[in-house]
Amino acid sequence: MQGKAAKGAVIGIMAATAIGLAAPISSASAESEWEHGCRGYWYTTSGHGYCSNATWVVERFQVTYDCNAQVDTQRRKTVRVGYSGKFDTNECRFKINGTDVSNTY
């Protein structure tokens, strides 16, 4: 009986290890500074522009998505004063290095 229990434990450990190796590691990051109430966030392969109470009457932002193995994407978006929430998203095929939100005045 102990032999079967030991085999079961070994198989369980091996299965957990295989799942751990196959599952991608997810990480979240954000720009360190807010640009007039907005900044960029990014995760493993996706990024987005986010505002927490945009501070100007009409803000026009440029959002740059720095993809690791493909051409970077840039977009210009306009948000109204007081806007909170996501205002743009982008998905990179393999990995994203960062998302930059800057004001275009």
Side-chain angles (χ1 to χ4, degrees), residues 32-105:
S32 59
E33 300 202 13
W34 293 85
E35 181 79 28
H36 298 288
C38 301
R39 68 179 176 180
Y41 285 85
W42 62 95
Y43 305 92
T44 306
T45 59
S46 66
H48 66 268
Y50 177 82
C51 293
S52 178
N53 194 18
T55 58
W56 287 44
V57 176
V58 174
E59 278 298 328
R60 187 172 172 140
F61 293 101
Q62 178 166 304
V63 186
T64 303
Y65 300 97
D66 178 12
C67 295
N68 196 38
Q70 67 194 77
V71 177
D72 296 345
T73 300
Q74 290 185 336
R75 295 189 183 115
R76 291 187 179 208
K77 297 290 179 171
T78 302
V79 300
R80 299 208 180 274
V81 68
Y83 178 77
S84 292
K86 285 184 188 180
F87 65 89
D88 193 53
T89 62
N90 186 63
E91 185 77 29
C92 296
R93 189 166 297 137
F94 301 106
K95 180 182 183 248
I96 190 166
N97 299 319
T99 301
D100 179 64
V101 172
S102 57
N103 187 281
T104 62
Y105 298 103

